[in-house]
Amino acid sequence: MIRIQINSEDRQIPEGTSMAQLIRMLDLGDRRIAVEVNEELVPRSTFEGHLLTDKDRVEIIQAIGGG
């Protein structure tokens, strides 16, 4: 297990977890979101290959439609 922060909340996840797996764990797969890891934007196209590591700081922001 590794420790990460998700929106300032400490969490433990299995070692080798990808961003795509984390998004599925959090049940956010069908939502419009933006993700930063350690203050760097992670494009959705790289979620499968982006492996999270110990002490990563993840910020997930949900897009809200408006008009």
Side-chain angles (χ1 to χ4, degrees):
M1 297 295 266
I2 60 171
R3 287 189 160 298
I4 64 170
Q5 275 192 351
I6 303 172
N7 295 349
S8 301
E9 181 181 318
D10 289 332
R11 299 275 301 255
Q12 283 192 340
I13 61 171
E15 190 170 344
T17 298
S18 71
M19 181 57 68
Q21 291 169 315
L22 179 66
I23 296 304
R24 286 191 292 271
M25 281 185 228
L26 298 173
D27 199 25
L28 296 173
D30 61 346
R31 300 203 182 159
R32 293 177 47 159
I33 57 173
V35 177
E36 285 186 353
V37 176
N38 303 324
E39 299 183 5
E40 290 190 26
L41 186 64
V42 178
R44 184 177 287 272
S45 62
T46 66
F47 281 6
E48 284 295 337
H50 187 102
L51 298 182
L52 295 163
T53 60
D54 197 44
K55 298 183 180 143
D56 274 347
R57 293 182 325 278
V58 180
E59 292 292 325
I60 301 173
I61 302 157
Q62 293 188 49
I64 300 174

